[in-house]
Amino acid sequence: MSNVQAIKLVTGEELVVEITEETETAITFKNPLAAVLQRSQKTGEPALGFMPWMHAANGPFVVDKSKIICVAEVADEVKNGYNQIYGAGLVVPPQQLITG
């Protein structure tokens, strides 16, 4: 999962995807998840969650760049959640200062 990115579409949808190809006019990706706000089961506070995008299709997905507002790196927590769904389940631990 080396190329997990966030994509914001002109429709307002925010996707987390694995980009597989980019041309001058389009971006191709696989395994898209829509990022949605939901209430945390632990705290009751708003939290980021995922839901499937394009339920009836397997991909690859090709989106014209004119329909994309922004492409950005995702936070480690988002990448970890994505990898738990589509990856090998490996997560990147948070960086901590080791003292001793």
Side-chain angles (χ1 to χ4, degrees), residues 1-70:
M1 298 291 141
S2 60
N3 203 11
V4 177
Q5 301 283 314
I7 295 178
K8 182 80 166 188
L9 301 176
V10 296
T11 59
E13 295 168 290
E14 187 172 331
L15 307 178
V16 179
V17 305
E18 184 178 354
I19 295 176
T20 56
E21 184 180 355
E22 184 171 352
T23 67
E24 287 185 28
T25 60
I27 291 179
T28 303
F29 54 84
K30 64 181 183 178
N31 301 331
L33 292 174
V36 294
L37 282 179
Q38 59 188 27
R39 193 160 304 280
S40 169
Q41 293 177 353
K42 293 180 182 177
T43 66
E45 297 294 320
L48 185 66
F50 298 118
M51 63 180 274
W53 187 74
M54 295 280 296
H55 302 279
N58 289 329
F61 302 89
V62 180
V63 175
D64 190 273
K65 284 186 174 179
S66 69
K67 305 299 182 200
I68 297 172
I69 295 173
C70 180

Side-chain angles (χ1 to χ4, degrees), residues 83-94:
N83 285 339
Q84 287 177 338
I85 296 168
Y86 281 120
L90 301 175
V91 297
V92 177

